[in-house]
Amino acid sequence: MHIDQTDEELATITSLLVSSQLIVNDSIEYSDYPDIADSPLYLRAIVTLAQALYYDRSLTNGQPKGVLLMLAHLDAICLAKGAR
Protein backbone atom coordinates (compact mmCIF):
# COMPACT_ATOMS: atom_id res chain seq x y z
CA MET A 1 0.00 0.00 0.00
CA HIS A 2 1.22 3.45 -0.82
CA ILE A 3 -0.07 5.70 1.92
CA ASP A 4 1.08 8.95 3.43
CA GLN A 5 3.27 8.29 6.43
CA THR A 6 1.34 10.56 8.75
CA ASP A 7 0.57 9.70 12.35
CA GLU A 8 -3.12 9.48 11.48
CA GLU A 9 -2.58 7.04 8.60
CA LEU A 10 -0.17 4.89 10.62
CA ALA A 11 -2.72 4.75 13.46
CA THR A 12 -5.40 3.71 10.98
CA ILE A 13 -3.23 0.95 9.51
CA THR A 14 -2.26 -0.29 12.97
CA SER A 15 -5.90 -0.41 14.02
CA LEU A 16 -6.90 -2.27 10.86
CA LEU A 17 -4.09 -4.80 11.34
CA VAL A 18 -5.19 -5.44 14.92
CA SER A 19 -8.81 -5.85 13.83
CA SER A 20 -7.79 -8.14 10.99
CA GLN A 21 -5.72 -10.31 13.31
CA LEU A 22 -8.67 -10.67 15.69
CA ILE A 23 -10.96 -11.67 12.81
CA VAL A 24 -8.45 -14.21 11.48
CA ASN A 25 -7.84 -15.60 14.97
CA ASP A 26 -11.58 -16.06 15.55
CA SER A 27 -12.02 -17.64 12.13
CA ILE A 28 -9.44 -20.36 12.76
CA GLU A 29 -9.85 -20.74 16.54
CA TYR A 30 -6.33 -19.49 17.10
CA SER A 31 -6.43 -20.22 20.83
CA ASP A 32 -6.54 -23.95 20.06
CA TYR A 33 -3.46 -23.82 17.85
CA PRO A 34 -1.30 -20.71 18.39
CA ASP A 35 1.63 -22.21 16.43
CA ILE A 36 -0.30 -21.38 13.26
CA ALA A 37 1.18 -17.88 13.64
CA ASP A 38 4.42 -19.35 12.26
CA SER A 39 2.75 -19.97 8.91
CA PRO A 40 3.42 -17.31 6.25
CA LEU A 41 -0.19 -17.81 5.19
CA TYR A 42 -1.36 -16.55 8.59
CA LEU A 43 0.41 -13.23 8.18
CA ARG A 44 -0.71 -12.93 4.54
CA ALA A 45 -4.36 -13.42 5.55
CA ILE A 46 -4.07 -10.66 8.16
CA VAL A 47 -2.38 -8.23 5.77
CA THR A 48 -4.80 -8.98 2.93
CA LEU A 49 -7.82 -8.45 5.15
CA ALA A 50 -6.35 -5.22 6.52
CA GLN A 51 -5.86 -3.95 2.95
CA ALA A 52 -9.45 -4.80 2.10
CA LEU A 53 -10.66 -2.99 5.21
CA TYR A 54 -8.54 0.04 4.38
CA TYR A 55 -10.32 0.52 1.06
CA ASP A 56 -13.78 -0.62 2.18
CA ARG A 57 -14.20 -0.32 5.96
CA SER A 58 -17.58 -2.04 5.97
CA LEU A 59 -16.55 -4.82 3.57
CA THR A 60 -19.63 -4.11 1.50
CA ASN A 61 -19.25 -7.32 -0.49
CA GLY A 62 -18.00 -9.41 2.42
CA GLN A 63 -14.49 -10.68 2.95
CA PRO A 64 -12.40 -10.98 -0.21
CA LYS A 65 -12.41 -14.45 -1.76
CA GLY A 66 -8.63 -14.64 -1.33
CA VAL A 67 -8.98 -14.11 2.41
CA LEU A 68 -11.69 -16.76 2.62
CA LEU A 69 -9.45 -19.19 0.75
CA MET A 70 -6.52 -18.47 3.09
CA LEU A 71 -8.76 -18.93 6.14
CA ALA A 72 -9.96 -22.27 4.79
CA HIS A 73 -6.36 -23.42 4.32
CA LEU A 74 -5.34 -22.21 7.77
CA ASP A 75 -8.35 -23.98 9.29
CA ALA A 76 -7.38 -27.17 7.46
CA ILE A 77 -3.85 -26.91 8.89
CA CYS A 78 -5.32 -26.59 12.37
CA LEU A 79 -7.62 -29.56 11.80
CA ALA A 80 -4.73 -31.68 10.52
CA LYS A 81 -2.73 -30.87 13.65
CA GLY A 82 -5.66 -31.91 15.84
CA ALA A 83 -6.57 -28.43 16.98
CA ARG A 84 -10.22 -29.30 17.32
Side-chain angles (χ1 to χ4, degrees), residues 17-39:
L17 284 168
V18 168
S19 296
S20 296
Q21 185 175 17
L22 291 172
I23 292 168
V24 168
N25 287 354
D26 280 349
S27 298
I28 61 171
E29 296 189 34
Y30 177 83
S31 61
D32 290 341
Y33 189 63
D35 292 344
I36 197 70
D38 295 335
S39 170

Side-chain angles (χ1 to χ4, degrees), residues 1 3 8-18 50 54 57:
M1 293 173 44
I3 61 169
E8 182 179 341
E9 282 297 304
L10 293 175
T12 298
I13 294 297
T14 300
S15 174
L16 292 174
L17 284 168
V18 168
Y54 183 81
R57 303 288 160 84

